[in-house]
Amino acid sequence: MKQELSKIAQALVAPGKGILAADESSGTIKKRFDSIGVTSTEDTRRDYREMLFRASEGMKNCVSGVILYDETIRQKAKDGTPLVDIMKAAGSIPGIKVDEGAKPLAGPHSEIEKVTEGLDGLRERLAEYHKLGARFAKWRAVITITDSLPSWNCIKANAHALARYAALCQEAGIVPIVEPEVLMDGAHSSHTIERCYEVTEWTQRTVFRELYDARVELEGMVLKPNMVIAGQKCPQQASAQQVAELTVKCLKSTVPSAVPGIAFLSGGQSDEQATENLSLINQIGDLPWRVTFSYGRALQAAALKAWGGKSENVAAGQRAFTHRARMNSLAALGKWSQQLEKAA
C-alpha cells in the first residue's frame, strides 16, 4: 500500500504535468455558467466537463490527474462512456473532492473564521470512491487574514481535520491532497505579502505537525498550498519575483523533503499571473520537491468563455484549454515566457 500511494503521488507531480481541478460544487459552477449566460443543468455540466476531458492534446501532455465532484465521477459522456474512462484513456488519474465545505467556526469570530466539515462517514465514502476509480482526493481548508486573525483555534481545527482526512485516505488506498488555503481574495484581503508569509508559515508548520501525529505517510501525499502573495485589496502589490522568492523561502522552512510534490492552487490570481509565478518559483531551482499546478479557474476560464455553452464552439473551448494547460506545463518546468504566451 505504501509503495502504491507513493507511486500515485509521484505520477501526480510528474515533470511538466499538473492537476486540473474540475471539482466545482453545484453552486460554484452555476456562478461560472451564469457569467456566460448558460443554465447549469446536469447535461450542461456534463457537456462542459466532457469537452475538457476530451481535449486530448492538453490532457495527455499536461494533465496528470483531475479532481472531480461527486456528480462528475458518476457521470457518463453523451455517447455513454463513463467520464472517468475518458480521463484514464488520456493518461489522467481520477481524483475526488471529499470535503463538505467550509462552515462558520463556532466562537467569537464565527462571521469570519471557517472550519471544513465532512469527516463523518468519510471512511465509507472513500471506499465507494475507490470502487468508482478515484485514486486521490482533495480536502480544502480556508484561513482568512485580518489584522488580528487567524486565531490559533482556527488554524489548529483546520490542520487537525486535514490530518484526519489524510490518514483516512491513505487507509483507503487513496492519495490525499492536503490543501490549507490562506486566502488572498475576499472582503478581508488587504494584507501585505509579509503578513501572508507569516500566516502561511504558521499554517503549514501546524499542518505538518498534525500530519505527523496522525502518522500520515508523507511520501504518499501532495501538498496544495497558496503562494505567498499580497491580498487583492492591498495597495502595495509585490512583484512576481518577490512572490516566487518568499513562497520558496516559506516552503523550504515548513515542508519536509519527503513530500513528493507541491501543486499550487491559483487562488484569486489571473490566469497569466498564476502561470508566471509558478514558472519563476521553478526557475529558482534547487527544490527538494517537484513543484506544479492544481488549478481550477486559472486553467478553465478561457475555455469556458470560448465554449459559451454552444456545441459548435467545443473545438474553440478545447484549444483555449490546451493553450493554458501547455503554458502551465512549461511553468512547471520553469520554462514559461511572455513570448511563448503571446506566440500561441
Side-chain angles (χ1 to χ4, degrees):
M1 176 79 90
K2 197 170 163 179
Q3 274 180 321
E4 188 54 30
L5 289 169
S6 172
K7 208 168 103 185
I8 296 164
Q10 292 283 358
L12 287 170
V13 293
K17 288 192 168 190
I19 297 163
L20 165 62
D23 59 329
E24 300 87 0
S25 65
S26 303
T28 302
I29 202 154
K30 182 187 180 301
K31 278 185 212 152
R32 304 250 169 103
F33 278 15
D34 286 350
S35 75
I36 55 163
V38 172
T39 307
S40 178
T41 65
E42 199 175 328
D43 283 352
T44 56
R45 292 191 293 273
R46 180 213 52 213
D47 290 348
Y48 171 61
R49 285 170 170 149
E50 182 182 346
M51 172 188 77
L52 298 177
F53 306 156
R54 287 198 190 272
S56 50
E57 191 195 332
M59 290 290 290
K60 276 191 175 119
N61 300 329
C62 312
V63 176
S64 57
V66 184
I67 310 169
L68 302 167
Y69 191 55
D70 180 78
E71 174 186 76
T72 321
I73 200 170
R74 303 171 194 277
Q75 272 181 325
K76 289 184 167 69
K78 231 175 190 166
D79 66 3
T81 314
L83 291 181
V84 164
D85 290 353
I86 292 170
M87 268 178 280
K88 284 183 182 165
S92 290
I93 302 165
I96 183 75
K97 166 194 162 86
V98 296
D99 69 65
E100 289 178 354
K103 308 287 161 64
L105 176 64
H109 311 293
S110 61
E111 73 289 354
I112 294 173
E113 298 204 300
K114 305 266 196 292
V115 66
T116 302
E117 294 183 352
L119 288 169
D120 289 354
L122 182 56
R123 180 178 270 126
E124 294 72 24
R125 286 191 290 129
L126 287 166
E128 187 196 1
Y129 286 138
H130 192 278
K131 280 190 190 128
L132 290 168
R135 291 298 175 266
F136 73 100
K138 186 197 94 166
W139 178 290
R140 173 177 177 254
V142 294
I143 307 292
T144 301
I145 299 178
T146 71
D147 291 343
S148 57
L149 297 173
S151 64
W152 167 232
N153 182 40
C154 176
I155 287 182
K156 175 98 170 115
N158 278 295
H160 182 71
L162 277 166
R164 285 183 59 194
Y165 139 82
L168 283 163
C169 281
Q170 291 189 338
E171 177 190 274
I174 286 175
V175 167
I177 288 196
V178 174
E179 181 177 0
E181 178 177 5
V182 176
L183 294 173
M184 67 162 291
D185 55 1
H188 302 279
S189 57
S190 57
H191 55 273
T192 62
I193 190 169
E194 291 78 12
R195 177 81 173 122
C196 179
Y197 181 96
E198 204 179 281
V199 174
T200 302
E201 185 184 46
W202 181 22
T203 301
Q204 287 173 6
R205 276 187 196 277
T206 310
V207 166
F208 279 101
R209 235 185 341 256
E210 290 285 344
L211 289 168
Y212 175 78
D213 289 346
R215 291 297 182 264
V216 170
E217 298 282 350
L218 297 184
E219 294 82 357
M221 66 161 275
V222 172
L223 180 69
K224 180 172 176 172
N226 54 283
M227 293 176 189
V228 175
I229 199 164
Q232 263 182 354
K233 294 185 176 175
C234 178
Q236 197 183 347
Q237 290 293 317
S239 68
Q241 194 59 46
Q242 200 183 355
V243 169
E245 284 166 10
L246 284 181
T247 300
V248 168
K249 184 183 174 194
C250 183
L251 293 171
K252 281 190 166 178
S253 73
T254 57
V255 183
S257 58
V259 174
I262 290 166
F264 285 108
L265 57 92
S266 52
Q269 300 178 62
S270 71
D271 304 2
E272 215 171 289
Q273 190 184 15
T275 306
E276 181 181 12
N277 288 341
L278 175 62
S279 196
L280 288 170
I281 286 165
N282 276 299
Q283 279 169 31
I284 289 172
D286 191 28
L287 306 175
W289 347 261
R290 293 220 187 100
V291 176
T292 187
F293 57 91
S294 176
Y295 293 167
R297 190 200 42 72
L299 264 179
Q300 295 182 44
L304 182 72
K305 203 172 164 189
W307 171 63
K310 297 184 172 77
S311 54
E312 63 269 27
N313 292 343
V314 164
Q318 288 175 330
R319 279 194 301 275
F321 170 72
T322 298
H323 172 63
R324 280 271 46 88
R326 201 184 298 121
M327 291 302 107
N328 284 304
S329 167
L330 289 166
L333 299 167
K335 292 179 176 172
W336 174 88
S337 71
Q338 200 73 53
Q339 288 76 5
L340 289 165
E341 182 74 53
K342 297 289 172 270

